[in-house]
Amino acid sequence: MVLLTAEHIRKSYGTRVIFDDISFSIHEGDKIGVVGVNGTGKSTLLKIVAGVGQADSGDIVTMNGMKIGYLSQSPVFAAGTTVLEHIFCGDNPVMTLVREYETTLKALEQNPQDMALTKKVAEISERMDKAEAWSLESEAKNILTKLGITDFSQMVETLSGGQRKRVALAAALIAPVDLLILDEPTNHIDNETVEWLEKHLSKYSKALLMVTHDRYFLDRVANRMLELEKGKIYAYQANFTKYLEMKAEREERLAAEERKRQNFLRNELEWVRRGAKARTTKQKARLDRFEEISSKQAPEEKQNVELYSVGSRLGKKTIELKHVCKSFDEKVCIKDFSYIILRNDRIGITGQNGCGKTTLLKMMTGQLQPDSGSVEIGETVKIAVFAQENEQWDETQQVLAYIKDTAEYVQTAEGKISASQLLEKFLFPVSMQRGPISMLSGGEKRRLYLAKVLMEAPNILFLDEPTNDLDIETLMILEEYLEHFQGAVITVSHDRYFLDKTVGRIFAFLGDGNIKQFEGGYTDYRQAWEKQFVPQTTTTPKKETVVAEKKEPRKLMKMTYKDQREYDSIGDEIEEMENKIDILEKQMAECTTDYMKLQELTEQKAETTALLEQKMERWLVLSELAEEIEKNRQQNSR
């Protein structure tokens, strides 16, 4: 069943055309991801479909009685409302009833002797019984808890920005709608919450329309993709990985059609130049066809953000943290943490919101002093920080002037380029460079901020939630840039794919200020974490045997035939597994677009690593046994 149809939508801001006569439809069961370079109008499209924005022309036709829920990037909250009151702010009769109950109960808690309020609470409770509204309230509290909000009576204005976003997300998820529209739902929530949301929306029965940069999320939730490009829209019946394949096929077809068009024009032009006269109907028709095909515009050459390798020399001393501690009031954020950043470190920092990830970054960069311990920064260290929020800038300043404030020229491996040339590589044409920053979209402002950070030519780069509001294509280029960056990179991010792609070590906040190191990317860390901290319901017999042998050394003075054969071959098996891990790591490094394949390779690497650890443990047991047998033989020979 068709829920909504967008017909001939046009939208522009001044001379800048956002949508040029686009049409599409949304059906029951659709879970649609909207993608496109920043500035192509993803958020604008969501607002128009949700009815909170207006197109210049065109129509949005919906099914009779259809209800739409919308989560914006910057939700608005009514003053003086609690978390639960905001959750039930819709006009649905059941939600109105629950809201009335919560408001009356709150009043009764403040005036427990008021018999009229007591009677009213009892009356509303009966109505809630009949309407079966208790389940809705229970579901709302469950979703809030999953999103990390446990104080349901807390005033919304006292919450942090990230907490407010999660409250707004809970309100959107609980609302009884036919189409749910989510604009960047994964921004400002931690990795575990993203994983929960992913599973929740995978089972969600209503239609979804969403913008997100999280590629794992799109792969596992979306079944359709809408791509916005140069004012046009392209639909794909696919998840994100399949969309990339289908998009490449579409671009190849367009290129092939253009080659055929150019070949035809060359041949026809030769015919025209030979002086053929349009004296017959056939000849005239041929000339008309030539004119028609030659007047067609060639597909515009696709432009991508280009990042050059920009950096400066880094000496032997980098940044050294010695027993640093940091607390805020009674909350311990970091406790006795020490680490020396290596010259080409690739570190990812992960943990729940508010645990102290940004605090650690600020201490590393010297912006914040520890309560105890020390942070030493080398003389040649040149730090650049891509922060969560854009710096405070003058919205009336020209885009080019903003970049020139950092440098007018920058030296790259390809030579010196000007600030204007750098901006063009970041998809800011000359016409945009002369305009004010206020004319840019939120995503374009993030891209501009990133350009300035890289213009500083750092040798240690700090990225605090770099994936927020950056489009997927820019993220892919940034990932490639970081792979060749000559210096250390420390990243705080909840983007699982970005961490898998760019880091080789994870600092995980485990609570109470404790930070533990894990080798590998995010998927490696999660598997290692679950192995260490999640109670195992079953264990393999092989592993139990190994543990038993380590705890109770064997007293036999000779190996069994089976043990001897295993001892003779185990070295080759260990070498084979190590080679396999090397091959998997190379394949992972080459895997740039197929995210499901990358996850598969990551899981294979984790399995092989676990098997290798078991083999190493077994080799230690057999080696100890062989040494014991050899000692015994030498003693007996004396």
Side-chain angles (χ1 to χ4, degrees):
M1 180 187 296
V2 177
L3 299 178
L4 178 147
T5 302
E7 299 176 339
H8 308 293
I9 302 297
R10 294 178 183 273
K11 182 70 177 178
S12 62
Y13 293 104
T15 59
R16 185 179 178 187
V17 177
I18 306 297
F19 307 133
D20 183 15
D21 192 23
I22 66 171
S23 300
F24 63 93
S25 59
I26 300 175
H27 298 74
E28 272 188 320
D30 277 349
K31 294 180 180 178
I32 303 171
V34 182
V35 294
V37 175
N38 287 338
T40 52
K42 300 186 294 293
S43 292
T44 301
L45 180 65
L46 263 56
K47 289 176 182 176
I48 291 172
V49 174
V52 297
Q54 294 294 321
D56 296 337
S57 62
D59 297 299
I60 300 292
V61 181
T62 61
M63 177 185 69
N64 286 338
M66 179 179 167
K67 292 182 179 177
I68 298 176
Y70 172 60
L71 172 70
S72 72
Q73 286 194 44
S74 303
V76 177
F77 299 85
T81 56
T82 66
V83 168
L84 268 184
E85 284 170 347
H86 178 77
I87 293 294
F88 298 111
C89 62
D91 58 359
N92 178 274
V94 177
M95 296 183 79
T96 302
L97 185 61
V98 176
R99 184 169 67 251
E100 184 183 359
Y101 174 78
E102 291 294 334
T103 304
T104 309
L105 186 62
K106 179 182 173 184
L108 180 59
E109 288 171 352
Q110 295 172 350
N111 301 282
Q113 305 302 320
D114 191 322
M115 297 306 296
L117 285 174
T118 303
K119 184 178 179 181
K120 188 174 181 181
V121 167
E123 177 196 334
I124 298 173
S125 296
E126 289 181 11
R127 287 159 56 198
M128 287 184 67
D129 286 336
K130 292 177 182 177
E132 298 181 349
W134 295 110
S135 60
L136 185 67
E137 184 185 34
S138 176
E139 184 182 356
K141 290 180 178 178
N142 180 53
I143 289 175
L144 283 167
T145 302
K146 293 290 186 183
L147 292 173
I149 306 295
T150 54
D151 186 353
F152 311 130
S153 61
Q154 188 173 358
M155 303 303 290
V156 174
E157 55 259 35
T158 65
L159 300 175
S160 67
Q163 288 173 321
R164 290 188 187 189
K165 183 68 179 278
R166 294 199 293 277
V167 170
L169 177 58
L173 294 175
I174 198 67
V177 297
D178 302 293
L179 170 63
L180 179 58
I181 300 175
L182 304 174
D183 195 354
E184 296 289 4
T186 60
N187 274 5
H188 309 296
I189 58 177
D190 55 57
N191 303 81
E192 292 182 16
T193 307
V194 170
E195 289 176 9
W196 172 83
L197 180 62
E198 185 180 274
K199 292 174 184 175
H200 183 82
L201 291 179
S202 296
K203 301 173 185 175
Y204 191 72
S205 60
K206 304 301 181 181
L208 280 174
L209 180 67
M210 57 190 168
V211 170
T212 178
H213 59 261
D214 192 314
R215 287 154 283 184
Y216 281 155
F217 193 89
L218 285 172
D219 250 353
R220 294 164 185 167
V221 176
N223 57 25
R224 279 187 69 197
M225 301 295 297
L226 291 179
E227 179 188 20
L228 294 170
E229 184 178 347
K230 301 185 186 301
K232 304 297 182 184
I233 194 164
Y234 302 93
Y236 303 85
Q237 196 71 35
N239 66 359
F240 183 73
T241 296
K242 186 65 178 175
Y243 143 74
L244 289 176
E245 296 173 9
M246 295 171 73
K247 177 184 178 180
E249 291 170 2
R250 177 178 68 82
E251 290 176 344
E252 286 171 8
R253 283 197 304 272
L254 287 174
E257 288 172 7
E258 177 58 17
R259 287 193 296 270
K260 284 176 64 177
R261 189 178 79 93
Q262 292 298 334
N263 287 335
F264 169 82
L265 291 175
R266 276 194 296 271
N267 292 334
E268 293 301 288
L269 188 59
E270 285 298 318
W271 178 79
V272 171
R273 283 173 176 169
R274 286 199 298 267
K277 297 178 181 178
R279 288 177 295 186
T280 67
T281 303
K282 185 176 181 181
Q283 288 172 323
K284 187 174 187 307
R286 188 169 178 178
L287 282 171
D288 290 343
R289 186 177 176 219
F290 173 78
E291 292 295 334
E292 179 187 350
I293 293 179
S294 63
S295 66
K296 287 184 178 179
Q297 287 189 341
E300 289 188 48
E301 187 176 341
K302 184 183 173 186
Q303 290 182 301
N304 282 323
V305 177
E306 295 180 39
L307 304 187
Y308 288 103
S309 180
V310 180
S312 52
R313 189 187 69 82
L314 181 61
K316 289 184 179 180
K317 186 170 182 180
T318 57
I319 300 175
E320 185 173 349
L321 291 84
K322 297 179 180 178
H323 306 290
V324 296
C325 299
K326 189 67 182 177
S327 300
F328 294 96
D329 298 326
E330 299 298 319
K331 183 179 181 180
V332 178
C333 290
I334 298 164
K335 182 169 63 180
D336 193 23
F337 180 69
S338 299
Y339 188 77
I340 300 174
I341 295 176
L342 306 178
R343 293 178 67 175
N344 288 297
D345 252 343
R346 295 293 187 270
I347 298 169
I349 303 176
T350 186
Q352 293 184 345
N353 286 344
C355 65
K357 303 186 295 294
T358 300
T359 298
L360 179 59
L361 246 64
K362 287 182 176 179
M363 286 200 294
M364 287 180 171
T365 58
Q367 299 175 59
L368 188 66
Q369 294 302 310
D371 296 337
S372 61
S374 64
V375 179
E376 298 178 7
I377 300 176
E379 291 182 2
T380 61
V381 170
K382 189 172 182 182
I383 291 171
V385 181
F386 185 56
Q388 281 194 53
E389 303 294 337
N390 297 335
E391 61 185 4
Q392 295 296 318
W393 47 26
D394 180 1
E395 292 273 332
T396 63
Q397 187 180 26
Q398 283 187 347
V399 170
L400 179 59
Y402 172 73
I403 292 295
K404 281 186 173 182
D405 285 347
T406 299
E408 295 211 10
Y409 293 91
V410 65
Q411 187 67 43
T412 73
E414 292 78 10
K416 184 182 286 188
I417 63 171
S418 67
S420 179
Q421 289 172 319
L422 179 80
L423 282 170
E424 287 192 64
K425 301 300 181 185
F426 272 74
L427 303 188
F428 293 104
V430 174
S431 59
M432 290 180 69
Q433 294 177 25
R434 300 296 177 186
I437 292 173
S438 60
M439 292 297 293
L440 302 181
S441 70
E444 286 171 327
K445 288 177 180 176
R446 288 293 285 173
R447 199 189 321 138
L448 178 64
Y449 178 37
L450 176 62
K452 182 182 179 182
V453 168
L454 298 182
M455 191 89 173
E456 295 171 10
N459 49 35
I460 298 186
L461 183 58
F462 289 87
L463 306 174
D464 193 358
E465 297 291 2
T467 62
N468 285 355
D469 302 319
L470 280 182
D471 59 78
I472 290 172
E473 289 193 27
T474 302
L475 285 177
M476 291 167 68
I477 302 298
L478 177 59
E479 287 159 2
E480 186 178 348
Y481 169 87
L482 294 177
E483 187 176 340
H484 302 287
F485 177 72
Q486 297 299 308
V489 181
I490 297 90
T491 305
V492 170
S493 180
H494 63 265
D495 189 316
R496 298 159 295 172
Y497 179 80
F498 188 82
L499 291 174
D500 273 341
K501 188 69 177 160
T502 60
V503 309
R505 179 173 296 122
I506 294 286
F507 289 169
F509 279 73
L510 303 181
D512 297 324
N514 294 308
I515 303 172
K516 184 173 176 61
Q517 295 181 37
F518 293 86
E519 296 304 305
Y522 179 79
T523 302
D524 293 319
Y525 144 68
R526 286 295 294 172
Q527 290 173 343
W529 184 87
E530 288 173 4
K531 186 177 178 182
Q532 288 187 35
F533 299 106
V534 177
Q536 301 295 314
T537 54
T538 58
T539 55
T540 59
K542 188 171 185 179
K543 199 162 187 178
E544 286 178 359
T545 303
V546 170
V547 173
E549 288 182 39
K550 287 183 77 176
K551 287 184 177 179
E552 300 178 13
R554 296 174 60 167
K555 297 180 181 179
L556 293 174
M557 291 302 104
K558 66 177 183 177
M559 286 189 183
T560 64
Y561 175 72
K562 182 179 177 183
D563 286 343
Q564 187 63 54
R565 288 195 63 182
E566 185 180 2
Y567 184 55
D568 292 340
S569 63
I570 198 167
D572 293 335
E573 292 176 11
I574 288 172
E575 184 179 358
E576 185 180 335
M577 287 182 182
E578 289 173 338
N579 291 336
K580 184 178 178 181
I581 290 172
D582 288 340
I583 292 169
L584 288 169
E585 287 177 344
K586 288 177 183 176
Q587 291 175 340
M588 288 166 67
E590 294 168 358
C591 189
T592 58
T593 57
D594 191 340
Y595 309 107
M596 295 301 284
K597 180 66 175 176
L598 176 66
Q599 187 182 9
E600 180 184 331
L601 291 171
T602 304
E603 289 173 355
Q604 287 181 25
K605 179 190 170 187
E607 284 179 18
T608 308
T609 303
L611 288 172
L612 177 61
E613 289 175 357
Q614 290 183 18
K615 284 290 181 184
M616 291 295 291
E617 287 179 0
R618 182 63 176 157
W619 175 79
L620 284 171
V621 171
L622 292 173
S623 296
E624 290 172 1
L625 178 59
E627 288 177 9
E628 189 178 343
I629 291 170
E630 179 60 24
K631 286 179 184 177
N632 188 62
R633 185 189 66 76
Q634 290 176 0
Q635 287 176 356
N636 290 338
S637 64
R638 291 173 191 163

